[in-house]
Amino acid sequence: MSVTLVVNPYLDENSTKIRNKNVPWDAYQRADLITLDELGSIKKVDRQPRARVESVLLSEGSTYAQLYLGLLKKVVRSDTQQCLLVWVADALTDHEERIPLFTRTQQVDPDLPYLPLLKCLDAQDEFSQLKASQILTVLLSVEETSILQQRLPPFLQSLAQFITSTTQHKRDVGVQCLESLLARPEVRQAVWANPAIIPGLLDILTNSPGPQMSYQVAFCFWLLTFEQNIAQQIDKKYDIIPVLVETAKTAVKEKVIRVIVAAFRNLVTKAPSANLPAMLVAQLLPFAKNLSQRKWSDEDIIEDVQFLKEELTTHFQNLTTYDEYTSELASGHLSWTPVHESDDFWKENATRLNEKDYEQLKLLIHILQTATDPNILAIAANDVGQYVKHYDRGKKFVTDFGGKARVMELMTHSNSDVRYRALLSVQQLVSQPWVAA
């Protein structure tokens, strides 16, 4: 583990400039902001060749870890903070054995090393925010669990802001920090508890990022899916499966497909009943069959694709037409499959929507009330009409669950197909005689 895990041109370019800047350390000493001894130690490393600094750190690493962080705690000028952050990062780069020198500073001062670094996350300049994040990622990646859990939440809040930023280097650093930290199960649970991070990652994927960013975000999802509770709930809560399928379909780099397929394998292994139906609705089976025909340089991807294909095929073969329909409802992604307009299907299955306390009917009406996609709204309105048409008591339950009011609202929708399907549904609701349950 070293700072080089988080690499960004913006940080590299600005770090080079800051190393060569003149910080008025002598003036600080005259103003009693630093001691004479601290000034002497600073002069040994300030704007010195890398080899000279390395020699000093080799013999006095613990002293300098304490010095850098202690100064960072008390200075307020942004240029001085930037200089100290660069020095800390330089000391850690390619020297993971020095990490304990910084984490052990808490034995001398309980505010160190984290309080000054977390304070920098609120700095006015982006460089300090991102450089502090680079360092925090390294330290927290190896920190003991109790301290990690204490210091992680405010850091994750900042990372959530980074990944939802319109600034490319902020998004890049935020995703890389998460990618490193998510190796730890405790971090996965903390990310899962943060309401902004997963939507932020999905938003990146849906806005056509480059291959490297696609890979890094997909890598984050792969790590998250190792947790049983997350694998069980993540698609239901965030609808990630269609986004990952689309990302894999459009990927030009093998590594992007490899990590997404590995994430799918985790989802199937950890929580098959929660994820296989949504995968079938998202057309993952034909895509997996397509992938199995390609040539791959990585053997892991061949094995994972074969696993997915077999699991999805088995699940598909065991599905009835009604199972396929309920899978669509569960996913929320309705499409014009034949069942929606099949009188035979609705004659046979309309009453099954009433099973388990009207579970599927309530789900259909929930989609009708919450969906924004005009195609999904049109299909849901159609299905409500089909249900009422083929179940003589359906009007009462659709009304009781709020479906009638919503369908009537959709008669004035901006989309012509939604209006048409809503009109047909309302005709069924009005024409069918009211039959009490």
Side-chain angles (χ1 to χ4, degrees):
M1 169 62 63
S2 71
V3 176
T4 51
L5 277 177
V6 176
V7 179
N8 179 268
Y10 169 84
L11 286 179
D12 292 344
E13 290 164 13
N14 282 278
S15 294
T16 301
K17 294 174 186 174
I18 289 164
R19 283 186 199 99
N20 298 317
K21 272 188 179 178
N22 183 21
V23 176
W25 297 111
D26 290 291
Y28 288 165
Q29 192 275 318
R30 289 194 296 272
D32 290 327
L33 295 174
I34 61 174
T35 67
L36 202 54
D37 285 344
E38 287 173 336
L39 179 62
S41 297
I42 288 168
K43 296 244 179 193
K44 289 183 183 178
V45 296
D46 183 30
R47 290 178 295 161
Q48 296 297 316
R50 177 74 190 233
R52 162 101 177 144
V53 175
E54 284 296 313
S55 175
V56 172
L57 293 176
L58 188 62
S59 58
E60 302 177 70
S62 183
T63 300
Y64 276 86
Q66 186 74 42
L67 174 67
Y68 293 164
L69 292 169
L71 290 172
L72 193 60
K73 178 181 174 181
K74 62 185 180 182
V75 300
V76 291
R77 281 184 48 154
S78 63
D79 58 343
T80 312
Q81 283 183 342
Q82 291 173 354
C83 175
L84 290 165
L85 289 168
V86 169
W87 287 355
V88 173
D90 285 352
L92 288 167
T93 300
D94 299 326
H95 285 283
E96 62 183 82
E97 76 282 359
R98 290 181 185 155
I99 294 174
L101 301 181
F102 289 87
T103 56
R104 284 200 296 260
T105 54
Q106 59 198 292
Q107 295 170 3
V108 178
D109 181 347
D111 287 344
L112 303 183
Y114 295 107
L115 202 65
L117 293 167
L118 291 169
K119 180 185 70 174
C120 290
L121 298 178
D122 296 322
Q124 293 302 305
D125 68 289
E126 289 184 350
F127 178 83
S128 292
Q129 294 173 11
L130 299 179
K131 198 70 177 173
S133 298
Q134 188 186 46
I135 297 163
L136 280 164
T137 298
V138 173
L139 300 184
L140 288 172
S141 293
V142 297
E143 187 58 89
E144 62 182 68
T145 299
S146 60
I147 296 172
L148 171 68
Q149 291 175 334
Q150 178 189 358
R151 301 300 188 180
L152 188 62
F155 186 30
L156 289 184
Q157 286 299 109
S158 292
L159 293 184
Q161 292 171 9
F162 293 167
I163 65 172
T164 55
S165 169
T166 55
T167 308
Q168 184 176 348
H169 51 258
K170 275 194 167 185
R171 288 197 305 275
D172 181 37
V173 171
V175 170
Q176 286 191 62
C177 290
L178 282 171
E179 189 182 359
S180 297
L181 290 166
L182 282 167
R184 298 190 63 165
E186 311 97 302
V187 177
R188 296 171 198 161
Q189 297 298 340
V191 167
W192 178 244
N194 185 298
I197 291 178
I198 292 175
L201 293 173
L202 285 172
D203 189 60
I204 291 173
L205 283 185
T206 54
N207 283 285
S208 304
Q212 184 61 21
M213 180 60 81
S214 293
Y215 172 76
Q216 289 169 339
V217 172
F219 195 91
C220 289
F221 281 119
W222 174 61
L223 291 172
L224 283 165
T225 59
F226 278 96
E227 300 303 303
Q228 179 75 40
N229 64 312
I230 297 175
Q232 186 77 36
Q233 301 171 60
I234 192 167
D235 185 67
K236 184 176 182 181
K237 190 171 182 180
Y238 293 111
D239 206 21
I240 71 162
I241 287 172
V243 178
L244 291 178
V245 170
E246 189 58 31
T247 303
K249 283 181 176 178
T250 57
V252 293
K253 294 285 187 180
E254 179 178 311
K255 67 179 183 178
V256 177
I257 299 173
R258 182 184 71 232
V259 75
I260 290 175
V261 167
F264 285 149
R265 179 167 189 159
N266 279 353
L267 290 172
V268 171
T269 304
K270 299 280 184 183
S273 61
N275 295 303
L276 281 169
M279 289 176 175
L280 286 172
V281 172
Q283 300 298 305
L284 183 55
L285 179 55
F287 182 53
K289 288 177 178 176
N290 176 278
L291 293 178
S292 68
Q293 303 302 313
R294 298 192 202 173
K295 295 194 180 299
W296 305 101
S297 59
D298 188 325
E299 289 188 8
D300 285 345
I301 194 171
I302 299 170
E303 184 184 333
D304 288 349
V305 166
Q306 188 62 28
F307 171 85
L308 276 181
K309 190 175 77 166
E310 289 172 1
E311 290 294 317
L312 286 163
T313 300
T314 301
H315 187 73
F316 181 74
Q317 288 171 345
N318 292 333
L319 285 181
T320 64
T321 309
Y322 182 69
D323 290 331
E324 290 182 55
Y325 178 70
T326 57
S327 293
E328 266 198 63
L329 287 183
S331 74
H333 290 279
L334 305 184
S335 58
W336 282 113
T337 50
V339 297
H340 298 284
E341 297 184 283
S342 166
D343 279 344
D344 288 342
F345 172 81
W346 286 103
K347 281 177 190 173
E348 184 179 340
N349 294 295
T351 57
R352 297 188 67 182
L353 270 64
N354 304 337
E355 294 171 0
K356 298 182 182 177
D357 191 30
Y358 303 91
E359 181 181 20
Q360 300 303 323
L361 177 62
K362 289 175 181 176
L363 190 51
L364 172 59
I365 293 172
H366 175 73
I367 292 169
L368 190 70
Q369 292 170 331
T370 58
T372 55
D373 184 305
N375 195 50
I376 292 174
L377 284 173
I379 297 168
N382 167 83
D383 289 4
V384 167
Q386 292 279 27
Y387 170 76
V388 172
K389 178 181 176 182
H390 292 94
Y391 175 53
D392 56 1
R393 295 178 176 173
K395 178 180 174 183
K396 170 177 167 49
F397 300 118
V398 169
T399 302
D400 288 349
F401 299 144
K404 181 179 178 182
R406 177 57 174 156
V407 169
M408 293 183 80
E409 284 177 13
L410 293 176
M411 290 175 67
T412 59
H413 195 274
S414 59
N415 181 276
S416 60
D417 193 36
V418 174
R419 292 197 302 272
Y420 172 67
R421 299 291 174 174
L423 173 62
L424 294 181
S425 186
V426 167
Q427 287 174 348
Q428 291 296 335
L429 283 161
V430 172
S431 66
Q432 291 296 312
W434 186 289
V435 180

